[in-house]
Amino acid sequence: MEPTASLASVATTEDIKKRESSSRDVNSPANAPFGGRLLLDESAVFEQNAWDHATWGEEQEQHARNEIARQSLNPVPQELVETYHAEAAENWNKFYTKNENKFFKDRHWLRIEFPELFDMVEAEAGEKNVMEIGCGAGNTMFPLLIESKNPKLFVYACDFSSTAVDVVKNNPEYDPKRGKAFVWDLAGDDIPPEVEPESMDVLVLIFVLSALHPDRWENAMNNLYRLLKPGGLIVFRDYGRYDMAQLRFKKNRLLSDNFYVRGDGTRVYFFESDEIVQLFGSRFTIEQNAVDRRLIVNRLRKVKMYRVWLQGKFRKPLAGQSPGAPSETTVRTDESTQDGVETVDGPVDTSLSLDTPSDSPLPSGEATPKLQA
C-alpha cells in the first residue's frame, strides 16, 4: 500500500476532531439537527478538512454512474476471478504480514458511536461477553480491555487471517485471562468451537461483511444469530455505495456487481442501505440504519473526496418478538421522497458517529487523508 497523505499539517486539531454525529438515518431530511461540521457556504469548502452530511447533487450522482459503467467495461478476466476467491485468506495474511502493528488504530470514535460497548467496561456492569469479528490488529479489543474496570468483561477476537490473530496475540496488552483471539471464518458453516452458542452480548462487525463473497452472506447471518444471546446486539460499520474507494478502482478490478479486488488481492463490496435491511431484517430488530456521507478535502491541493459509510445496530429478538420490528429509534427504508430529499418515517436517531476514514485498506496506490481522532 502507498503511504497515506496527511492533512494534519494543514488543519488544526479542532478542525479534525469531531464531537457530533456524521451518520444520518437513511430517510433523514437535510436539516436534521445534528452533525457539527455542515457546509452551508460552498465558497468555504476549503476552510476546513472535513464536512459532515455532504450533499450529493446530480453532478456527483452522474459521475458515480459513469465510473461504475467504465469499470464494467474492463472487469477482472474470468480466468482470474476464482483465483482471487480461492486465495482470499492468503491475501489477507500477506496484508497483515506487511503491515503488522502499523495497522492498529485506537478507534476513539467507538466511544462516541457505540456507547453500548463502553457501558460494559464499567465496574458494576456484570458478566459481559464481546466478540470482535474480523479483528485485524485488535482495534476494538484493546481499547475495551485497556479501559475496562469490569472484572467480568471478556473480549473475544477472531479473524479470517491467521497472521492478524498472531498480531493480536503478540500485542503486550493481550491477556488470555481477559480475552481470547483465534482464527475463524464468519462465512463458514458453523460458529467457532471457542464460543458457546447464544453466549455473546455484543458482536462487533466493522468493515468485515464487505470482505465476504456475496454468496456467503447468508452463512454469516446464520452464524451471527447463533452467537448472540436473545436481546444481544450487533454494531455494524461498512462501505457504502459510491464511496470514493469504489469509484477510484481502475480496470480489471471488478469481480461482480459492486464487488472488487484491490491491488493486494483483498476483496471489498460496497453496500446500499436496502441491502443491509434485507440481510439483517429477516433475523434481527433494526435499531439503526444510517449513512455517513463525508466530504473530505485536501486544502493544499484543492481536492474534494466524497466518502460514504453505512452504519447499523441490530438486536436479536427476545422470545416471542418478531425480527425486523423497528425500535423507537428505527427509521424504515422506503422510496418516498419530497423535492429530491429523503423523508423520515419515524423519529430521527441522534446517535453519534465515526471520526476517522475507514480503517479497511484502500485500492492499491490510493492515498487517503489521515484524520487524527
Side-chain angles (χ1 to χ4, degrees):
M1 295 174 66
E2 295 294 325
T4 55
S6 175
L7 290 179
S9 61
V10 295
T12 67
T13 301
E14 191 64 26
D15 286 332
I16 295 170
K17 191 169 183 177
K18 278 176 14 68
R19 292 178 174 83
E20 297 184 62
S21 174
S22 55
S23 282
R24 171 173 287 156
D25 285 303
V26 293
N27 294 322
S28 176
N31 61 353
F34 60 95
R37 303 181 298 183
L38 303 180
L39 180 60
L40 303 177
D41 179 2
E42 182 63 31
S43 67
V45 65
F46 294 111
E47 290 184 6
Q48 64 182 42
N49 70 307
W51 302 93
D52 300 325
H53 309 316
T55 302
W56 275 56
E58 179 56 33
E59 181 180 352
Q60 283 84 13
E61 219 34 70
Q62 187 58 53
H63 170 71
R65 289 193 291 266
N66 290 344
E67 291 302 298
I68 300 302
R70 171 187 59 79
Q71 294 164 352
S72 68
L73 297 177
N74 294 282
V76 173
Q78 193 58 42
E79 63 271 17
L80 295 179
V81 170
E82 290 308 316
T83 299
Y84 283 125
H85 294 327
E87 295 178 353
E90 179 183 348
N91 288 327
W92 278 110
N93 283 336
K94 290 177 180 177
F95 172 82
Y96 285 108
T97 297
K98 180 178 179 180
N99 291 278
E100 296 184 359
N101 288 332
K102 292 182 293 183
F103 202 64
F104 175 76
K105 297 180 181 180
D106 186 346
R107 291 168 167 161
H108 295 283
W109 56 267
L110 285 172
R111 298 159 179 80
I112 302 171
E113 185 51 56
F114 299 129
E116 299 89 346
L117 287 173
F118 289 87
D119 289 345
M120 295 185 293
V121 308
E122 299 302 324
E124 304 303 321
E127 184 174 342
K128 298 293 180 182
N129 293 321
V130 182
M131 186 170 174
E132 181 183 11
I133 300 174
C135 64
N139 293 348
T140 300
M141 180 187 211
F142 293 120
L144 287 175
L145 291 179
I146 290 168
E147 293 194 21
S148 180
K149 306 177 190 68
N150 181 3
K152 296 182 179 180
L153 173 67
F154 199 89
V155 183
Y156 295 87
C158 62
D159 202 282
F160 192 38
S161 164
S162 59
T163 304
V165 172
D166 289 340
V167 169
V168 171
K169 289 182 174 180
N170 290 330
N171 189 304
E173 298 292 341
Y174 182 72
D175 181 356
K177 295 179 181 178
R178 304 172 66 211
K180 186 171 187 177
F182 51 90
V183 177
W184 180 58
D185 179 5
L186 170 61
D189 294 328
D190 204 352
I191 64 173
E194 291 85 354
V195 180
E196 293 294 322
E198 296 195 328
S199 63
M200 293 295 107
D201 293 282
V202 179
L203 300 176
V204 180
L205 205 66
I206 297 176
F207 298 107
V208 174
L209 200 60
S210 56
L212 303 184
H213 193 294
D215 288 350
R216 309 299 289 175
W217 291 344
E218 196 67 18
N219 268 26
M221 293 298 111
N222 288 336
N223 288 329
L224 294 171
Y225 187 87
R226 290 192 62 202
L227 286 168
L228 268 185
K229 296 177 180 179
L233 183 69
I234 298 170
V235 294
F236 168 86
R237 183 88 181 179
D238 221 319
Y239 290 106
R241 191 69 47 84
Y242 297 163
D243 178 65
M244 177 186 74
Q246 178 179 17
L247 302 185
R248 284 192 171 187
F249 277 107
K250 305 303 181 184
K251 64 180 182 179
N252 303 137
R253 294 297 173 200
L254 182 66
L255 292 164
S256 57
D257 287 349
N258 303 299
F259 193 37
Y260 299 80
V261 61
R262 303 182 179 95
D264 59 10
T266 60
R267 303 172 303 178
V268 59
Y269 187 89
F270 295 85
F271 292 96
E272 287 188 319
S273 292
D274 283 351
E275 291 176 308
I276 299 305
V277 170
Q278 291 167 8
L279 280 171
F280 289 93
S282 63
R283 295 172 178 81
F284 304 97
T285 296
I286 300 171
E287 293 197 350
Q288 186 190 56
N289 178 29
V291 61
D292 181 346
R293 291 187 182 274
R294 193 88 55 82
L295 172 59
I296 298 173
V297 300
N298 186 312
R299 295 160 69 185
L300 290 178
R301 295 170 53 207
K302 307 298 183 187
V303 174
K304 300 179 185 179
M305 295 162 281
Y306 289 90
R307 303 309 308 261
V308 184
W309 298 288
L310 301 185
Q311 179 176 296
K313 298 179 184 181
F314 313 105
R315 194 173 296 278
K316 183 173 179 176
L318 297 171
Q321 292 181 338
S322 299
S327 71
E328 64 178 7
T329 61
T330 298
V331 176
R332 304 170 187 81
T333 302
D334 60 34
E335 297 179 354
S336 63
T337 60
Q338 181 176 357
D339 296 327
V341 177
E342 293 176 321
T343 57
V344 175
D345 183 9
V348 172
D349 185 340
T350 57
S351 64
L352 302 175
S353 190
L354 185 67
D355 196 23
T356 63
S358 160
D359 50 359
S360 190
L362 293 170
S364 180
E366 178 178 328
T368 186
K370 184 185 294 181
L371 303 186
Q372 305 299 322

